[in-house]
């Protein structure tokens, strides 16, 4: 095969964005990327391969070769992505049925497993029905956009720290919206009092906020929703599988799930696979199934993925010891980090943010952890978090041992000292 010249490589990189006249598209893209890199916000993707039976150990692949690392930033909170129950279910269906669904849910793409998983998720949350989407992002985008755009004169009230997928759904609806201060029910109430009583309203919020680890005031928001005639839409993405007697999330733990109108969740975090869903009344789910473009026009989740998710949900619902150990290891990690006077952001959840406050310094600390200690943590910079609040986001799992926690804390202390990060 002939070698590609450097000029040809550059042309390939630019694609068709090099017109002879007119706007210089390639230069615009290049300048934007250069600025992103100068700010320390350019994202490098770590290429990982899991080591069977050894999670959170993994193999990191780089240009220099492969090496073992300990992963401390995964959203696979319980390690279910490599659990035998999950893996075997996926492999069995891939061999026994097919790798793909073959179409949209409406056109040949609804398999029996889709219906079984939706029933399982509805039962998990104590709701009459549930609807699968291909990701949690699509579930939020499709559900909020559909609900808000179809309810005449709808107004959406959104927590200021809601996930980008919720923001995208609200924006797509092109309706009146109001942003309330994070977890501030008094501010929310003040907004609701000014709105016309006859207009439909949706309050969109989360149970566990993924970057700060704060827990939403579900009881307070439900109370306001009832008083002002609003629907409640709760994102439990970072809580399902982890909290409550059956792992249904914070609303279940607090005995409030039945009072929430829409519960949105994911299969890609504590359940370790991929996919999203919404659980609600039968009428509401049928409405979303019938009108959400994000659901209607998307090829359905492959049967092996659905089988793996179903097996994981069924396993986690009864895995009380696994959830308990998760909380124990989270508490141990937080205590060790505090003892080392590292600047953790205290929360009542399993999310453990370590505040740095500078994009370049955050990236440098993470590079030291990886290169010198074999610890992989991804820097969290703008636009995921506001500028000046850059951080390292740790997610301890049941599989992180006490020795791993000790090694992490020692490595962090060294990295912070080396790069001038603020200590507690």
């Amino acid at each position: 095969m002939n070698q590609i010249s450097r000029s040809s490589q550059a042309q390939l990189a630019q694609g068709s964005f090099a017109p002879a006249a007119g706007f210089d598209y390639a230069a615009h893209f290049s300048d934007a990327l250069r600025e992103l890199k100068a700010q320390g916000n350019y994202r490098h993707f770590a290429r990982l391969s899991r080591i069977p039976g050894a999670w959170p150990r993994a193999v990191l692949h780089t240009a220099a070769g492969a090496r073992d690392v300990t992963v401390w930033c995964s959203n696979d909170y319980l390690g279910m992505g490599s659990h035998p129950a999950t893996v075997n279910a996926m492999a069995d269906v891939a061999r026994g049925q097919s790798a793909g669904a073959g179409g949209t849910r409406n056109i040949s793409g609804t398999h029996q497993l889709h219906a079984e998983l939706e029933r399982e998720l509805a039962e998990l949350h104590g709701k009459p029905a549930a609807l699968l989407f291909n990701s949690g992002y699509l579930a939020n985008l499709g559900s909020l956009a559909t609900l808000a755009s179809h309810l005449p004169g709808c107004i959406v009230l959104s927590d200021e720290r809601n996930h980008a997928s919720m923001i995208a759904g609200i924006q797509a609806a092109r309706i009146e919206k109001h942003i309330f201060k994070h977890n501030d029910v008094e501010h929310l109430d003040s907004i609701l009092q000014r709105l016309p009583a006859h207009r439909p309203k949706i309050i969109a919020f989360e149970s566990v906020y993924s970057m700060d680890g704060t827990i939403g005031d579900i009881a307070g928001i439900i109370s306001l929703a009832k008083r002002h005639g609003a629907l409640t839409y709760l994102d439990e993405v970072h809580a399902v599988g982890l909290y409550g007697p059956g792992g249904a999330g914070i609303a279940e733990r607090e005995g409030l799930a039945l009072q929430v109108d829409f519960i949105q969740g994911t299969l890609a975090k504590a359940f370790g696979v991929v996919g999203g869903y919404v659980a609600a009344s039968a009428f509401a789910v049928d409405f979303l199934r019938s009108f959400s473009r994000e659901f209607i026009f998307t090829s359905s989740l492959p049967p092996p993925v659905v089988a793996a998710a179903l097996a994981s949900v069924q396993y986690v619902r009864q895995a009380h010891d696994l959830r308990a150990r998760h909380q124990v290891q989270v508490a141990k990690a937080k205590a060790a980090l505090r003892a080392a006077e590292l600047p953790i952001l205290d929360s009542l959840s399993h999310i453990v943010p370590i505040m740095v406050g500078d994009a370049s310094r955050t990236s440098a600390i993470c590079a030291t952890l990886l290169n010198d200690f074999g610890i992989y943590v991804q820097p969290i910079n703008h636009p995921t978090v506001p500028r000046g609040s850059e951080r390292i986001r740790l997610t301890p799992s049941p599989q992180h041992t006490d020795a791993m926690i000790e090694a992490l804390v020692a490595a962090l202390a060294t990295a912070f000292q080396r790069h001038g990060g603020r200590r507690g």
Side-chain angles (χ1 to χ4, degrees):
M1 183 178 293
N2 294 330
Q3 293 278 336
I4 300 176
S5 68
R6 288 186 177 180
S7 61
S8 297
Q9 288 177 340
Q11 189 174 8
L12 284 170
Q14 291 180 356
S16 59
F17 300 122
F23 189 83
D24 193 338
Y25 300 97
H28 177 79
F29 296 150
S30 178
D31 290 345
L33 290 170
R34 189 179 301 111
E35 182 179 354
L36 199 64
K37 292 175 181 177
Q39 294 169 348
N41 290 327
Y42 184 77
R43 300 181 183 215
H44 298 275
F45 296 163
R47 292 177 291 146
L48 301 169
S49 297
R50 291 199 179 188
I51 301 172
W55 183 253
R57 301 290 296 171
V59 176
L60 176 71
H61 300 271
T62 68
R67 58 179 298 199
D68 286 4
V69 296
T70 302
V71 180
W72 271 99
C73 58
S74 174
N75 285 337
D76 186 1
Y77 295 132
L78 299 177
M80 290 303 298
S82 53
H83 192 281
T86 309
V87 174
N88 292 338
M90 179 177 283
D92 290 345
V93 171
R95 284 191 292 261
Q97 294 193 32
S98 66
T104 63
R105 288 291 298 274
N106 182 51
I107 305 175
S108 82
T110 294
H111 290 229
Q112 177 61 22
L113 286 165
H114 292 91
E116 291 180 19
L117 179 53
E118 285 173 337
R119 281 197 297 269
E120 187 75 24
L121 292 168
E123 184 180 300
L124 171 69
H125 292 287
K127 298 294 185 185
L131 187 68
L132 280 173
F133 288 80
N134 282 27
S135 70
Y137 192 103
L138 280 177
N140 272 335
L141 171 60
S143 299
L144 284 168
T146 302
L147 291 168
S149 63
H150 280 76
L151 290 170
C154 184
I155 304 170
V156 175
L157 301 103
S158 176
D159 188 290
E160 67 178 349
R161 295 187 188 173
N162 276 345
H163 189 262
S165 58
M166 302 176 80
I167 296 170
I170 295 166
Q171 290 175 335
R174 298 183 179 180
I175 42 77
E176 180 180 344
K177 65 179 183 294
H178 296 270
I179 311 301
F180 61 92
K181 296 176 183 177
H182 177 54
N183 237 356
D184 190 333
V185 292
E186 291 185 2
H187 185 225
L188 174 59
D189 190 24
S190 70
I191 298 172
L192 285 164
Q193 289 179 25
R194 299 194 302 267
L195 300 178
H198 69 279
R199 290 179 62 181
K201 307 168 191 70
I202 301 171
I203 304 174
F205 63 112
E206 301 183 32
S207 61
V208 175
Y209 288 82
S210 63
M211 290 300 123
D212 296 333
T214 51
I215 294 178
D217 186 353
I218 301 174
I221 291 176
I222 288 174
S223 177
L224 287 180
K226 289 179 178 179
R227 191 187 316 159
H228 294 280
L231 293 172
T232 47
Y233 184 99
L234 175 63
D235 179 317
E236 287 261 34
V237 158
H238 290 274
V240 290
L242 304 178
Y243 301 93
I250 299 294
E252 183 199 31
R253 187 188 71 178
E254 298 181 2
L256 297 169
L258 297 182
Q259 299 182 57
V260 178
D261 297 300
F262 294 87
I263 295 178
Q264 182 267 346
T266 185
L267 302 165
K269 293 180 171 57
F271 295 128
V273 191
V274 72
Y277 63 89
V278 171
S281 70
F283 280 122
V285 167
D286 198 15
F287 178 84
L288 290 174
R289 185 188 71 87
S290 301
F291 290 99
S292 171
R293 298 174 66 86
E294 291 75 12
F295 173 82
I296 294 169
F297 296 105
T298 302
S299 294
S300 60
L301 286 168
V305 170
V306 178
L310 177 60
S312 180
V313 173
Q314 291 172 335
Y315 181 90
V316 169
R317 289 185 69 183
Q318 53 77 41
H320 310 296
D321 291 345
L322 182 65
R323 291 199 299 276
R325 177 165 173 76
H326 176 244
Q327 294 300 318
V328 167
Q329 295 309 99
V330 168
K332 286 181 179 179
K334 287 181 176 180
L337 291 163
R338 287 192 201 98
E341 297 185 335
L342 287 158
I344 74 168
L345 189 63
D346 276 326
S347 77
L348 298 176
S349 75
H350 60 285
I351 307 293
V352 187
I354 302 179
M355 306 307 290
V356 181
D358 177 85
S360 297
R361 190 176 296 122
T362 304
S363 297
I365 290 171
C366 290
T368 293
L369 292 175
L370 182 62
N371 297 328
D372 293 0
F373 299 98
I375 292 172
Y376 168 55
V377 180
Q378 190 70 17
I380 306 296
N381 295 331
H382 180 79
T384 305
V385 294
R387 287 188 176 90
S389 67
E390 291 84 1
R391 67 198 65 185
I392 297 164
R393 176 183 176 272
L394 302 175
T395 53
S397 74
Q399 292 80 25
H400 284 100
T401 64
D402 293 355
M404 288 177 179
I405 293 173
E406 183 179 344
L408 169 72
V409 173
L412 277 166
T414 298
F416 265 76
Q417 183 178 28
R418 183 179 302 175
H419 298 290
R422 178 176 61 85
R423 295 291 290 273

